[in-house]
Protein backbone atom coordinates (compact mmCIF):
# COMPACT_ATOMS: atom_id res chain seq x y z
CA UNK A 1 0.00 0.00 0.00
CA UNK A 2 2.85 2.38 0.82
CA UNK A 3 4.46 1.55 -2.51
CA UNK A 4 1.27 2.39 -4.40
CA UNK A 5 0.89 5.64 -2.49
CA UNK A 6 4.47 6.61 -3.30
CA UNK A 7 3.91 5.76 -6.95
CA UNK A 8 0.75 7.89 -7.10
CA UNK A 9 2.48 10.82 -5.42
CA UNK A 10 5.45 10.54 -7.80
CA UNK A 11 3.09 10.44 -10.76
CA UNK A 12 1.18 13.47 -9.51
CA UNK A 13 4.42 15.37 -8.95
CA UNK A 14 5.60 14.51 -12.46
CA UNK A 15 2.33 15.73 -13.98
CA UNK A 16 2.47 18.92 -11.97
CA UNK A 17 6.03 19.49 -13.08
CA UNK A 18 5.08 19.07 -16.74
CA UNK A 19 2.16 21.47 -16.34
CA UNK A 20 4.41 23.98 -14.58
CA UNK A 21 6.96 23.73 -17.37
CA UNK A 22 4.30 24.32 -20.02
CA UNK A 23 2.83 27.28 -18.17
CA UNK A 24 6.30 28.62 -17.46
CA UNK A 25 7.22 28.42 -21.14
CA UNK A 26 4.03 30.22 -22.17
CA UNK A 27 4.50 32.85 -19.47
CA UNK A 28 8.14 33.41 -20.35
CA UNK A 29 7.43 33.74 -24.07
CA UNK A 30 4.54 36.19 -23.73
CA UNK A 31 5.95 38.34 -20.92
CA UNK A 32 8.64 40.13 -23.02
CA UNK A 33 6.12 41.19 -25.68
CA UNK A 34 3.11 41.86 -23.47
CA UNK A 35 3.95 45.56 -23.32
CA UNK A 36 4.12 45.99 -27.09
CA UNK A 37 0.91 43.96 -27.45
CA UNK A 38 -0.87 46.28 -25.04
CA UNK A 39 0.65 49.38 -26.66
CA UNK A 40 -0.42 48.22 -30.11
CA UNK A 41 -3.91 47.54 -28.79
CA UNK A 42 -4.10 51.10 -27.46
CA UNK A 43 -3.15 52.42 -30.91
CA UNK A 44 -6.13 50.52 -32.30
CA UNK A 45 -8.28 52.07 -29.57
CA UNK A 46 -6.96 55.55 -30.45
CA UNK A 47 -7.73 55.01 -34.14
CA UNK A 48 -11.23 53.86 -33.25
CA UNK A 49 -11.81 57.03 -31.20
CA UNK A 50 -10.43 59.36 -33.90
CA UNK A 51 -12.47 57.79 -36.70
CA UNK A 52 -15.65 57.70 -34.60
CA UNK A 53 -15.29 61.40 -33.83
CA UNK A 54 -14.64 62.10 -37.50
CA UNK A 55 -11.19 63.55 -36.80
CA UNK A 56 -9.42 61.01 -38.99
CA UNK A 57 -10.44 59.33 -42.24
CA UNK A 58 -9.84 55.57 -42.63
CA UNK A 59 -8.71 56.32 -46.20
CA UNK A 60 -6.01 58.80 -45.16
CA UNK A 61 -2.28 58.14 -45.20
CA UNK A 62 -2.09 59.05 -41.51
CA UNK A 63 -4.57 56.30 -40.69
CA UNK A 64 -2.66 53.77 -42.81
CA UNK A 65 0.65 54.53 -41.10
CA UNK A 66 -0.79 54.45 -37.58
CA UNK A 67 -2.70 51.28 -38.45
CA UNK A 68 0.56 49.68 -39.56
CA UNK A 69 2.13 50.64 -36.23
CA UNK A 70 -0.78 49.10 -34.33
CA UNK A 71 -1.22 45.93 -36.39
CA UNK A 72 2.40 44.95 -37.16
CA UNK A 73 2.95 42.97 -33.95
CA UNK A 74 -0.18 40.92 -34.61
CA UNK A 75 0.49 40.22 -38.30
CA UNK A 76 4.06 39.13 -37.60
CA UNK A 77 3.20 37.47 -34.30
CA UNK A 78 4.70 34.06 -35.23
CA UNK A 79 8.10 35.75 -35.63
CA UNK A 80 8.05 37.52 -32.27
CA UNK A 81 6.69 34.48 -30.45
CA UNK A 82 9.22 32.25 -32.20
CA UNK A 83 12.04 34.40 -30.87
CA UNK A 84 10.82 34.69 -27.27
CA UNK A 85 9.74 31.05 -26.92
CA UNK A 86 13.01 29.72 -28.34
CA UNK A 87 14.98 31.86 -25.90
CA UNK A 88 12.77 30.74 -23.02
CA UNK A 89 13.36 27.09 -23.94
CA UNK A 90 17.12 27.58 -24.18
CA UNK A 91 17.35 27.42 -27.98
CA UNK A 92 18.52 29.96 -30.58
CA UNK A 93 16.00 32.81 -30.62
CA UNK A 94 16.89 33.85 -34.16
CA UNK A 95 16.23 30.36 -35.50
CA UNK A 96 12.88 30.42 -33.68
CA UNK A 97 12.14 33.75 -35.34
CA UNK A 98 13.16 32.37 -38.74
CA UNK A 99 10.72 29.47 -38.33
CA UNK A 100 7.95 31.97 -37.69
CA UNK A 101 9.10 34.15 -40.60
CA UNK A 102 8.97 31.18 -42.98
CA UNK A 103 5.22 31.04 -42.41
CA UNK A 104 4.95 34.63 -43.67
CA UNK A 105 7.58 34.51 -46.44
CA UNK A 106 6.27 36.01 -49.73
CA UNK A 107 6.63 32.83 -51.83
CA UNK A 108 4.56 30.87 -49.34
CA UNK A 109 2.06 33.72 -48.89
CA UNK A 110 1.62 33.81 -52.69
CA UNK A 111 0.42 30.20 -52.49
CA UNK A 112 -2.03 31.21 -49.76
CA UNK A 113 -3.26 34.27 -51.66
CA UNK A 114 -3.78 32.32 -54.88
CA UNK A 115 -5.51 29.51 -52.99
CA UNK A 116 -3.23 27.08 -54.76
CA UNK A 117 -4.39 23.49 -55.02
CA UNK A 118 -2.41 20.24 -55.29
CA UNK A 119 0.63 21.72 -53.52
CA UNK A 120 3.06 19.03 -52.39
CA UNK A 121 6.35 18.77 -50.53
CA UNK A 122 8.43 15.79 -51.68
CA UNK A 123 5.18 14.26 -52.91
CA UNK A 124 3.35 14.85 -49.62
CA UNK A 125 0.12 16.92 -49.97
CA UNK A 126 0.27 20.32 -48.26
CA UNK A 127 -2.70 22.07 -46.68
CA UNK A 128 -2.01 25.69 -47.61
CA UNK A 129 -3.20 28.10 -44.92
CA UNK A 130 -2.30 31.52 -43.56
CA UNK A 131 -0.53 31.50 -40.22
CA UNK A 132 -0.34 35.26 -39.79
CA UNK A 133 -1.47 36.28 -36.27
CA UNK A 134 -1.60 32.64 -35.16
CA UNK A 135 -0.27 31.32 -31.86
CA UNK A 136 -0.56 27.55 -31.60
CA UNK A 137 1.37 26.52 -34.74
CA UNK A 138 4.48 28.43 -33.71
CA UNK A 139 4.16 27.27 -30.08
CA UNK A 140 4.24 23.66 -31.25
CA UNK A 141 6.92 24.22 -33.90
CA UNK A 142 9.39 26.01 -31.63
CA UNK A 143 8.81 23.55 -28.79
CA UNK A 144 9.79 20.70 -31.11
CA UNK A 145 12.69 22.76 -32.45
CA UNK A 146 14.05 23.25 -28.91
CA UNK A 147 14.16 19.47 -28.45
CA UNK A 148 15.90 19.03 -31.80
CA UNK A 149 18.39 21.76 -30.90
CA UNK A 150 19.29 20.03 -27.63
CA UNK A 151 19.87 16.79 -29.55
CA UNK A 152 22.02 18.49 -32.20
CA UNK A 153 24.18 20.13 -29.55
CA UNK A 154 25.03 16.65 -28.27
CA UNK A 155 25.90 15.03 -31.60
CA UNK A 156 27.35 17.87 -33.73
CA UNK A 157 30.92 19.02 -33.25
CA UNK A 158 30.96 22.31 -31.35
CA UNK A 159 33.01 24.01 -34.07
CA UNK A 160 30.29 23.22 -36.65
CA UNK A 161 27.20 24.00 -34.57
CA UNK A 162 27.00 27.69 -35.51
CA UNK A 163 25.75 26.91 -39.04
CA UNK A 164 24.98 23.18 -39.08
CA UNK A 165 22.42 23.34 -36.25
CA UNK A 166 20.36 26.17 -37.81
CA UNK A 167 20.61 24.48 -41.23
CA UNK A 168 19.25 21.16 -40.00
CA UNK A 169 16.67 22.82 -37.75
CA UNK A 170 15.18 24.98 -40.51
CA UNK A 171 15.20 22.18 -43.09
CA UNK A 172 13.40 19.85 -40.67
CA UNK A 173 11.10 22.13 -38.66
CA UNK A 174 9.76 24.49 -41.36
CA UNK A 175 8.37 21.69 -43.61
CA UNK A 176 7.02 19.86 -40.54
CA UNK A 177 5.31 23.07 -39.42
CA UNK A 178 3.59 23.61 -42.76
CA UNK A 179 2.76 19.92 -43.20
CA UNK A 180 1.78 19.00 -39.66
CA UNK A 181 2.21 21.46 -36.79
CA UNK A 182 0.50 24.34 -38.58
CA UNK A 183 -2.72 22.55 -39.53
CA UNK A 184 -2.83 20.71 -36.19
CA UNK A 185 -2.23 23.88 -34.16
CA UNK A 186 -4.77 25.80 -36.19
CA UNK A 187 -7.41 23.11 -35.76
CA UNK A 188 -6.73 22.83 -32.02
CA UNK A 189 -6.94 26.59 -31.59
CA UNK A 190 -10.13 26.78 -33.62
CA UNK A 191 -11.62 23.87 -31.66
CA UNK A 192 -10.91 25.47 -28.29
CA UNK A 193 -12.22 28.77 -29.55
CA UNK A 194 -15.37 27.01 -30.80
CA UNK A 195 -15.83 25.37 -27.40
CA UNK A 196 -15.70 28.74 -25.67
CA UNK A 197 -17.99 30.18 -28.32
CA UNK A 198 -20.35 27.23 -27.82
CA UNK A 199 -20.39 27.65 -24.05
CA UNK A 200 -20.94 31.37 -24.50
CA UNK A 201 -23.84 30.75 -26.88
CA UNK A 202 -25.43 28.25 -24.48
CA UNK A 203 -24.79 30.22 -21.33
CA UNK A 204 -22.80 33.39 -21.78
CA UNK A 205 -23.92 34.37 -18.31
CA UNK A 206 -22.32 31.31 -16.67
CA UNK A 207 -19.15 31.45 -18.77
CA UNK A 208 -18.74 35.15 -18.07
CA UNK A 209 -19.37 34.74 -14.37
CA UNK A 210 -16.72 32.03 -14.07
CA UNK A 211 -14.12 33.99 -16.04
CA UNK A 212 -14.92 37.27 -14.29
CA UNK A 213 -14.69 35.69 -10.84
CA UNK A 214 -11.64 33.55 -11.51
CA UNK A 215 -9.44 35.72 -13.71
CA UNK A 216 -7.80 37.56 -10.81
CA UNK A 217 -6.78 34.30 -9.18
CA UNK A 218 -5.66 32.75 -12.48
CA UNK A 219 -3.38 35.77 -12.81
CA UNK A 220 -1.97 35.36 -9.30
CA UNK A 221 -1.26 31.68 -10.02
CA UNK A 222 0.16 32.42 -13.46
CA UNK A 223 -2.48 30.23 -15.14
CA UNK A 224 -3.85 33.11 -17.23
CA UNK A 225 -0.92 32.64 -19.62
CA UNK A 226 -2.52 29.42 -20.82
CA UNK A 227 -5.69 31.33 -21.79
CA UNK A 228 -4.17 34.40 -23.45
CA UNK A 229 -3.07 32.43 -26.56
CA UNK A 230 -6.69 31.35 -27.05
CA UNK A 231 -7.79 34.98 -26.94
CA UNK A 232 -5.16 36.04 -29.49
CA UNK A 233 -6.11 33.15 -31.74
CA UNK A 234 -9.77 34.25 -31.54
CA UNK A 235 -8.78 37.80 -32.53
CA UNK A 236 -7.36 36.45 -35.77
CA UNK A 237 -10.84 35.08 -36.55
CA UNK A 238 -12.68 38.35 -36.05
CA UNK A 239 -13.17 38.86 -32.33
CA UNK A 240 -12.55 37.41 -28.88
CA UNK A 241 -15.09 37.01 -26.05
CA UNK A 242 -12.53 35.82 -23.47
CA UNK A 243 -10.83 39.17 -22.83
CA UNK A 244 -14.22 40.89 -22.75
CA UNK A 245 -15.56 38.56 -20.04
CA UNK A 246 -12.30 38.56 -18.09
CA UNK A 247 -12.16 42.38 -18.27
CA UNK A 248 -14.60 42.58 -15.37
CA UNK A 249 -11.86 41.30 -13.02
CA UNK A 250 -9.36 44.19 -13.35
CA UNK A 251 -12.21 46.69 -13.19
CA UNK A 252 -13.40 44.99 -10.00
CA UNK A 253 -9.88 45.34 -8.60
CA UNK A 254 -9.87 49.04 -9.49
CA UNK A 255 -13.23 49.47 -7.75
CA UNK A 256 -11.99 47.64 -4.68
CA UNK A 257 -8.85 49.83 -4.72
CA UNK A 258 -10.98 52.98 -4.80
CA UNK A 259 -13.06 51.66 -1.90
CA UNK A 260 -9.96 50.89 0.18
CA UNK A 261 -8.47 54.30 -0.68
CA UNK A 262 -11.49 56.12 0.80
CA UNK A 263 -12.03 53.61 3.62
CA UNK A 264 -8.54 53.32 5.08
CA UNK A 265 -6.89 55.72 7.48
CA UNK A 266 -3.51 54.03 7.01
CA UNK A 267 -1.25 56.40 5.07
CA UNK A 268 0.85 53.61 3.56
CA UNK A 269 -2.18 51.65 2.38
CA UNK A 270 -3.72 54.80 0.92
CA UNK A 271 -0.47 55.40 -0.98
CA UNK A 272 -0.39 51.83 -2.32
CA UNK A 273 -4.01 51.89 -3.50
CA UNK A 274 -3.70 55.38 -4.96
CA UNK A 275 -0.57 54.37 -6.84
CA UNK A 276 -2.27 51.20 -8.08
CA UNK A 277 -5.54 52.78 -9.23
CA UNK A 278 -3.92 55.09 -11.80
CA UNK A 279 -1.97 52.47 -13.85
CA UNK A 280 -4.90 50.07 -13.48
CA UNK A 281 -7.37 52.57 -14.88
CA UNK A 282 -5.14 53.87 -17.67
CA UNK A 283 -3.07 50.83 -18.66
CA UNK A 284 -4.82 47.80 -17.16
CA UNK A 285 -1.87 46.90 -14.91
CA UNK A 286 -3.36 46.11 -11.50
CA UNK A 287 -0.37 44.36 -9.94
CA UNK A 288 0.05 47.00 -7.22
CA UNK A 289 -3.55 46.47 -6.13
CA UNK A 290 -3.21 42.69 -6.41
CA UNK A 291 -0.03 42.34 -4.38
CA UNK A 292 -0.40 45.41 -2.22
CA UNK A 293 -3.99 44.86 -1.11
CA UNK A 294 -5.64 41.71 -2.46
CA UNK A 295 -3.19 39.12 -1.16
CA UNK A 296 -2.91 41.00 2.12
CA UNK A 297 -6.58 41.42 2.95
CA UNK A 298 -8.53 38.25 2.27
CA UNK A 299 -11.93 39.92 2.43
CA UNK A 300 -11.04 41.84 -0.74
CA UNK A 301 -10.67 38.52 -2.58
CA UNK A 302 -14.33 37.72 -1.96
CA UNK A 303 -15.37 41.22 -3.01
CA UNK A 304 -13.35 41.15 -6.24
CA UNK A 305 -14.56 37.65 -7.12
CA UNK A 306 -18.22 38.58 -6.58
CA UNK A 307 -18.01 41.88 -8.48
CA UNK A 308 -16.01 40.24 -11.28
CA UNK A 309 -18.59 37.47 -11.59
CA UNK A 310 -21.42 40.00 -11.97
CA UNK A 311 -19.57 42.09 -14.56
CA UNK A 312 -18.34 39.03 -16.44
CA UNK A 313 -21.84 37.56 -16.51
CA UNK A 314 -23.18 40.80 -18.05
CA UNK A 315 -20.49 40.84 -20.77
CA UNK A 316 -20.97 37.14 -21.42
CA UNK A 317 -24.74 37.50 -21.69
CA UNK A 318 -24.48 40.35 -24.20
CA UNK A 319 -21.79 38.57 -26.26
CA UNK A 320 -19.24 41.37 -25.95
CA UNK A 321 -16.05 40.84 -28.00
CA UNK A 322 -12.59 42.39 -28.15
CA UNK A 323 -11.54 43.42 -31.65
CA UNK A 324 -7.84 43.83 -30.77
CA UNK A 325 -5.58 42.71 -27.96
CA UNK A 326 -5.47 45.23 -25.13
CA UNK A 327 -5.22 45.10 -21.37
CA UNK A 328 -8.68 46.11 -20.08
CA UNK A 329 -8.62 49.75 -18.99
CA UNK A 330 -10.50 52.97 -19.61
CA UNK A 331 -8.22 53.81 -22.53
CA UNK A 332 -8.87 50.46 -24.23
CA UNK A 333 -12.68 50.72 -24.08
CA UNK A 334 -13.02 51.41 -27.86
CA UNK A 335 -11.41 48.03 -28.57
CA UNK A 336 -14.55 46.26 -27.28
CA UNK A 337 -17.83 45.94 -29.14
CA UNK A 338 -20.60 46.91 -28.57
CA UNK A 339 -18.98 49.65 -26.47
CA UNK A 340 -22.15 50.65 -24.63
CA UNK A 341 -22.94 47.18 -23.37
CA UNK A 342 -19.29 46.56 -22.50
CA UNK A 343 -19.31 49.69 -20.36
CA UNK A 344 -22.35 48.42 -18.48
CA UNK A 345 -20.52 45.20 -17.60
CA UNK A 346 -17.15 46.58 -16.51
CA UNK A 347 -18.52 49.65 -14.72
CA UNK A 348 -20.97 47.41 -12.85
CA UNK A 349 -18.00 45.33 -11.65
CA UNK A 350 -16.15 48.50 -10.60
CA UNK A 351 -19.09 50.04 -8.75
CA UNK A 352 -20.13 46.80 -7.02
CA UNK A 353 -16.58 46.20 -5.76
CA UNK A 354 -16.23 49.80 -4.57
CA UNK A 355 -19.60 49.82 -2.77
CA UNK A 356 -19.03 46.43 -1.12
CA UNK A 357 -15.62 47.58 0.12
CA UNK A 358 -17.04 50.81 1.51
CA UNK A 359 -19.89 48.96 3.25
CA UNK A 360 -18.15 45.83 4.55
CA UNK A 361 -14.57 47.07 4.75
CA UNK A 362 -11.46 45.33 3.51
CA UNK A 363 -9.97 43.72 6.60
CA UNK A 364 -11.19 40.85 8.70
CA UNK A 365 -10.30 40.17 12.31
CA UNK A 366 -7.02 38.51 11.30
CA UNK A 367 -6.04 41.36 8.96
CA UNK A 368 -6.37 44.31 11.30
CA UNK A 369 -3.04 45.65 12.53
CA UNK A 370 -3.05 45.81 16.33
CA UNK A 371 -2.95 49.43 17.53
CA UNK A 372 -0.13 48.57 19.93
CA UNK A 373 1.96 47.36 17.02
CA UNK A 374 1.30 50.52 15.01
CA UNK A 375 2.33 52.68 17.95
CA UNK A 376 5.34 50.56 18.81
CA UNK A 377 6.81 50.37 15.33
CA UNK A 378 5.50 53.65 13.91
CA UNK A 379 4.44 52.01 10.62
CA UNK A 380 4.40 54.55 7.83
CA UNK A 381 7.20 56.70 9.30
CA UNK A 382 9.74 55.98 6.59
CA UNK A 383 13.37 56.48 7.63
CA UNK A 384 16.80 55.80 6.18
CA UNK A 385 17.93 52.24 6.88
CA UNK A 386 19.97 49.27 5.65
CA UNK A 387 18.29 45.99 4.72
CA UNK A 388 20.21 42.78 5.39
CA UNK A 389 20.20 39.82 3.05
CA UNK A 390 17.55 37.28 4.07
CA UNK A 391 19.37 34.47 2.24
CA UNK A 392 22.82 33.12 1.44
CA UNK A 393 23.61 32.75 -2.24
CA UNK A 394 24.40 34.64 -5.45
CA UNK A 395 23.04 38.15 -6.07
CA UNK A 396 21.32 38.61 -9.43
CA UNK A 397 19.35 41.53 -10.91
CA UNK A 398 15.54 41.47 -10.86
CA UNK A 399 15.58 41.66 -14.66
CA UNK A 400 16.63 38.00 -14.75
CA UNK A 401 13.52 36.85 -12.86
CA UNK A 402 11.08 34.99 -15.14
CA UNK A 403 8.06 36.58 -13.45
CA UNK A 404 7.38 39.93 -15.19
CA UNK A 405 5.83 41.39 -12.03
CA UNK A 406 9.31 41.35 -10.50
CA UNK A 407 11.53 41.72 -13.58
CA UNK A 408 9.78 44.96 -14.57
CA UNK A 409 9.85 46.23 -10.95
CA UNK A 410 6.07 46.46 -10.95
CA UNK A 411 5.91 45.14 -7.39
CA UNK A 412 8.84 47.29 -6.28
CA UNK A 413 12.57 47.90 -6.64
CA UNK A 414 15.10 45.57 -5.14
CA UNK A 415 17.35 42.65 -5.98
CA UNK A 416 17.18 38.85 -6.16
CA UNK A 417 19.24 36.11 -4.58
CA UNK A 418 19.75 32.62 -5.97
CA UNK A 419 19.97 30.76 -2.65
CA UNK A 420 22.49 28.11 -1.74
CA UNK A 421 20.76 27.33 1.57
CA UNK A 422 17.07 26.77 2.24
CA UNK A 423 16.61 29.35 4.97
CA UNK A 424 15.05 32.81 4.98
CA UNK A 425 15.90 35.08 7.91
CA UNK A 426 14.53 38.48 8.81
CA UNK A 427 16.42 41.32 7.11
CA UNK A 428 15.14 43.91 9.60
CA UNK A 429 13.63 44.46 13.02
CA UNK A 430 9.92 44.67 12.35
CA UNK A 431 6.61 42.89 12.04
CA UNK A 432 5.31 40.15 9.72
CA UNK A 433 2.53 41.92 7.85
CA UNK A 434 1.95 39.29 5.14
CA UNK A 435 2.50 35.55 5.23
CA UNK A 436 1.31 33.37 2.38
CA UNK A 437 -0.41 30.17 3.65
CA UNK A 438 1.87 28.17 1.34
CA UNK A 439 4.94 29.55 3.15
CA UNK A 440 6.74 30.49 -0.07
CA UNK A 441 6.50 34.27 0.44
CA UNK A 442 6.51 36.70 3.33
CA UNK A 443 6.10 40.45 3.78
CA UNK A 444 7.75 42.37 6.60
CA UNK A 445 7.36 46.01 7.63
CA UNK A 446 10.46 47.32 9.39
CA UNK A 447 10.54 49.64 12.38
CA UNK A 448 11.72 52.35 9.97
CA UNK A 449 8.72 51.84 7.67
CA UNK A 450 10.22 49.76 4.84
CA UNK A 451 7.82 47.20 3.34
CA UNK A 452 9.85 44.18 2.21
CA UNK A 453 8.51 41.27 0.16
CA UNK A 454 10.58 38.07 -0.01
CA UNK A 455 9.21 35.69 -2.66
CA UNK A 456 11.02 32.34 -2.77
CA UNK A 457 11.27 31.07 -6.35
CA UNK A 458 9.11 31.50 -9.45
CA UNK A 459 5.59 30.03 -9.43
CA UNK A 460 6.40 28.06 -6.25
CA UNK A 461 2.89 28.86 -5.05
CA UNK A 462 1.90 25.86 -7.17
CA UNK A 463 3.70 23.58 -4.68
CA UNK A 464 0.89 24.44 -2.23
CA UNK A 465 3.25 24.55 0.74
CA UNK A 466 5.14 21.36 -0.07
CA UNK A 467 8.82 21.67 0.93
CA UNK A 468 8.15 24.96 2.84
CA UNK A 469 7.84 25.49 6.60
CA UNK A 470 7.07 28.83 8.28
CA UNK A 471 8.55 29.60 11.69
CA UNK A 472 6.49 32.75 12.27
CA UNK A 473 2.86 33.88 12.06
CA UNK A 474 1.29 37.00 10.66
CA UNK A 475 1.73 39.99 13.01
CA UNK A 476 4.64 38.36 14.85
CA UNK A 477 7.44 40.72 15.87
CA UNK A 478 10.83 39.70 14.46
CA UNK A 479 14.45 40.74 14.93
CA UNK A 480 17.27 40.80 12.40
CA UNK A 481 18.47 37.26 11.73
CA UNK A 482 15.37 35.52 13.12
CA UNK A 483 14.50 32.40 11.12
CA UNK A 484 11.34 33.04 9.09
CA UNK A 485 11.03 30.21 6.57
CA UNK A 486 12.82 26.94 5.89
CA UNK A 487 12.51 25.21 2.52
CA UNK A 488 13.93 22.08 0.94
CA UNK A 489 16.13 23.70 -1.69
CA UNK A 490 17.01 20.55 -3.60
CA UNK A 491 13.49 19.16 -3.75
CA UNK A 492 12.08 22.49 -4.94
CA UNK A 493 14.64 22.54 -7.76
CA UNK A 494 14.06 18.86 -8.52
CA UNK A 495 10.35 19.62 -8.93
CA UNK A 496 11.29 21.90 -11.82
CA UNK A 497 11.08 25.31 -10.17
CA UNK A 498 13.40 28.28 -10.62
CA UNK A 499 14.56 29.13 -7.11
CA UNK A 500 15.72 32.72 -7.75
CA UNK A 501 14.23 34.79 -4.90
CA UNK A 502 13.24 38.46 -5.31
CA UNK A 503 13.75 40.74 -2.31
CA UNK A 504 11.81 43.90 -3.13
CA UNK A 505 10.77 47.10 -1.38
CA UNK A 506 7.06 47.36 -2.18
CA UNK A 507 6.86 50.99 -1.02
CA UNK A 508 9.82 52.01 -3.20
CA UNK A 509 8.09 55.24 -4.21
CA UNK A 510 8.60 56.56 -0.68
CA UNK A 511 12.40 56.55 -1.04
CA UNK A 512 14.69 58.91 -2.91
CA UNK A 513 17.00 56.05 -3.84
CA UNK A 514 17.46 52.32 -3.27
CA UNK A 515 21.14 51.34 -3.41
CA UNK A 516 22.60 47.85 -3.71
CA UNK A 517 25.39 47.49 -1.15
CA UNK A 518 27.26 44.63 -2.86
CA UNK A 519 27.06 42.11 -5.67
CA UNK A 520 28.31 38.60 -6.28
CA UNK A 521 28.11 36.08 -3.46
CA UNK A 522 26.43 37.02 -0.20
CA UNK A 523 25.71 35.46 3.17
CA UNK A 524 22.48 35.81 5.13
CA UNK A 525 22.60 38.84 7.46
CA UNK A 526 25.17 40.65 5.28
CA UNK A 527 24.20 44.19 4.30
CA UNK A 528 22.25 44.07 1.01
CA UNK A 529 20.25 47.26 0.30
CA UNK A 530 20.42 50.84 1.54
CA UNK A 531 17.20 52.87 1.55
CA UNK A 532 17.75 56.61 1.10
CA UNK A 533 15.10 59.16 2.15
Amino acid sequence: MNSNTTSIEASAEKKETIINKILGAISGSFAPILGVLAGSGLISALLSILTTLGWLSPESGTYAILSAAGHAIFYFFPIFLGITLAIKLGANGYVGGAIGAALLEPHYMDLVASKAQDVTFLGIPVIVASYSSTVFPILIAVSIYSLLDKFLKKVIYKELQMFINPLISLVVIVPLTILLFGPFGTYVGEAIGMIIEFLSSKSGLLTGAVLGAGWTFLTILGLHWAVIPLAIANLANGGDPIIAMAAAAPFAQIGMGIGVFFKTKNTDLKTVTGSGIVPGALAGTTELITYGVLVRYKRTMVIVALAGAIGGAINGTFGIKATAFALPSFLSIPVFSPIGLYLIGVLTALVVAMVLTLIFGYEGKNNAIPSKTVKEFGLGEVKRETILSPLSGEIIPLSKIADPLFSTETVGKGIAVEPTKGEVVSPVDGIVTTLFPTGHAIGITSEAGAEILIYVGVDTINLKGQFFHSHVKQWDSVKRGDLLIQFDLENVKAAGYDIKTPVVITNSNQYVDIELVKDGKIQAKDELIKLIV
Side-chain angles (χ1 to χ4, degrees), residues 169-183:
S169 297
L170 291 172
V171 168
V172 172
I173 299 298
V174 171
L176 280 177
T177 302
I178 294 175
L179 287 168
L180 183 61
F181 307 147

Side-chain angles (χ1 to χ4, degrees), residues 420-457:
T420 54
K421 186 177 181 181
E423 290 185 354
V424 178
V425 301
S426 179
V428 292
D429 294 343
I431 182 172
V432 178
T433 47
T434 304
L435 180 63
F436 284 63
T438 49
H440 74 290
I442 188 169
I444 302 170
T445 299
S446 74
E447 291 183 359
E451 296 177 5
I452 306 147
L453 175 64
I454 305 164
Y455 200 100
V456 182

